[in-house]
Amino acid sequence: MALSLWRSALYLAVICSPAVGGLEVGSGPDCGCSSLNRESSEGKHPGCESAADKYSAAANGNPTDLQEHDMLSKMVMLQGGWFLMGTDDPGIPQDGEGPQRRVWLDPFNIEEHEVTNLQFQRFSNKTGYITECYMICSEFKNGLSGHGLVCCWRCSLVVTSERSRLETTRGSRGQHFANLWQGDFPNHNTAEDGYSKASPVMSFPANGFGLYDMVGNAWEWTADWWNVHHTRDETRNPKGPETGTDKVKKGGSYMCHKSYCYRYRCAARSQNTPDSSASNLGFRCAADPKL
């Protein structure tokens, strides 16, 4: 597989979360849908040093101590084909969830889980890449080594929103198959699924394609610019608008609850500016199998 992230996905790798313990410092619970622009930060974040120590110790330690998915994610081959994108019964019409239309996708490869923080620091260590997080904190930060984040360095493109929709539609159903908010949002998360904040990747069963966390845990960036106006025309391998200000994100997160942010449905979508970051925002990568 060509390691061509530099051209298409690495601009997203400059982002890491300014959050400690799952919530942004000085803020209440927010699923990430109501605040689109991140204010600039100066100086060191209170949580930088301790989290940086965790990551550095793991990323620079003995590779034999790491699980395989901490070092190199598995790519899953999807055969593509026709599927139904969107819905004619939108839960949040202003997000452009409809209309339902037929979309064709060629075969493609996709990572089985979100890129993790530990994978990102290993990338940074090996390439010398200077992240925005480093410039703000002077050190890497945020969470545990298996949590999803916003980086990838070995594949050719970020998932499009069409691909994200196709992968989600064929997943499993059942109780606690995803990391979502239980209880009274935003006052109390009962954590009935075992997690009150972000969970390590692969903590929940995979869907029918063998993909983990396609719903919940962390929002996932897509390559598409945000647009809410769609036609019913059949399309093949659509790439979305050529320009825009916000990028589409899919899947919802551990802070999504039906009463507030019912965006963990297959047809649901949201947006954010490409320079935004949060403790519940990440992505996985896809690749053309011909590369």
Side-chain angles (χ1 to χ4, degrees):
M1 185 192 310
L3 305 182
S4 56
L5 141 88
W6 303 100
R7 291 175 297 175
S8 59
L10 190 54
Y11 76 96
L12 290 176
V14 301
I15 306 167
C16 78
S17 172
V20 175
L23 299 178
E24 293 188 11
V25 172
S27 70
D30 185 347
C31 70
C33 299
S34 60
S35 179
L36 298 182
N37 295 292
R38 178 169 52 91
E39 298 296 331
S40 61
S41 300
E42 296 182 1
K44 289 190 176 183
H45 190 281
C48 294
E49 288 79 8
S50 60
D53 291 341
K54 283 183 184 179
Y55 283 115
S56 296
N60 298 321
N62 186 347
T64 60
D65 296 334
L66 302 176
Q67 296 186 42
E68 182 178 355
H69 70 262
D70 285 329
M71 300 178 62
L72 190 65
S73 298
K74 176 183 174 182
M75 298 295 282
V76 177
M77 175 71 173
L78 298 184
Q79 295 301 321
W82 289 105
F83 73 100
L84 294 176
M85 179 84 176
T87 178
D88 289 329
D89 184 23
I92 307 176
Q94 64 269 26
D95 283 352
E97 296 179 1
Q100 192 171 87
R101 62 268 187 202
R102 277 167 47 91
V103 174
W104 169 276
L105 290 180
D106 291 339
F108 61 96
N109 292 320
I110 185 168
E111 282 188 297
E112 66 175 346
H113 61 71
E114 300 123 322
V115 177
T116 69
N117 286 324
L118 181 56
Q119 288 174 327
F120 179 59
Q121 184 162 7
R122 290 178 63 83
F123 151 71
S124 185
N125 289 349
K126 289 178 179 295
T127 63
Y129 186 81
I130 299 176
T131 68
E132 181 177 315
C133 174
Y134 182 90
M135 290 185 284
I136 293 173
C137 285
S138 300
E139 294 179 333
F140 194 70
K141 61 188 177 184
N142 184 38
L144 300 176
S145 62
H147 291 59
L149 189 64
V150 287
C151 49
C152 181
W153 59 290
R154 60 181 193 82
C155 40
S156 60
L157 65 155
V158 181
V159 182
T160 65
S161 61
E162 285 75 20
R163 284 173 169 165
S164 178
R165 162 64 175 167
L166 173 63
E167 296 134 20
T168 307
T169 56
R170 299 175 190 172
S172 304
R173 295 183 179 181
Q175 186 178 14
H176 304 320
F177 273 63
N179 183 3
L180 302 170
W181 186 288
Q182 290 90 44
D184 178 22
F185 187 91
N187 300 312
H188 179 57
N189 187 347
T190 60
E192 295 173 14
D193 57 13
Y195 299 94
S196 62
K197 296 168 183 163
S199 55
V201 297
M202 306 175 74
S203 294
F204 294 85
N207 68 7
F209 286 122
L211 303 176
Y212 295 87
D213 296 316
M214 289 303 300
V215 169
N217 202 29
W219 280 101
E220 297 187 22
W221 288 110
T222 76
D224 292 21
W225 289 109
W226 176 256
N227 176 41
V228 297
H229 303 292
H230 314 289
T231 71
R232 293 187 181 276
D233 298 340
E234 291 185 354
T235 55
R236 288 178 174 264
N237 302 311
K239 296 182 179 180
E242 294 185 1
T243 61
T245 58
D246 296 341
K247 289 287 187 176
V248 177
K249 59 182 183 179
K250 292 280 293 182
S253 78
Y254 71 88
M255 298 187 74
C256 281
H257 187 273
K258 187 174 182 179
S259 68
Y260 180 74
C261 178
Y262 191 28
R263 290 182 171 91
Y264 48 88
R265 295 166 291 111
C266 292
R269 55 206 299 270
S270 190
Q271 91 274 26
N272 217 326
T273 54
D275 66 344
S276 297
S277 63
S279 64
N280 63 339
L281 180 59
F283 76 85
R284 73 186 74 207
C285 290
D288 187 332
K290 298 186 292 292
L291 296 179

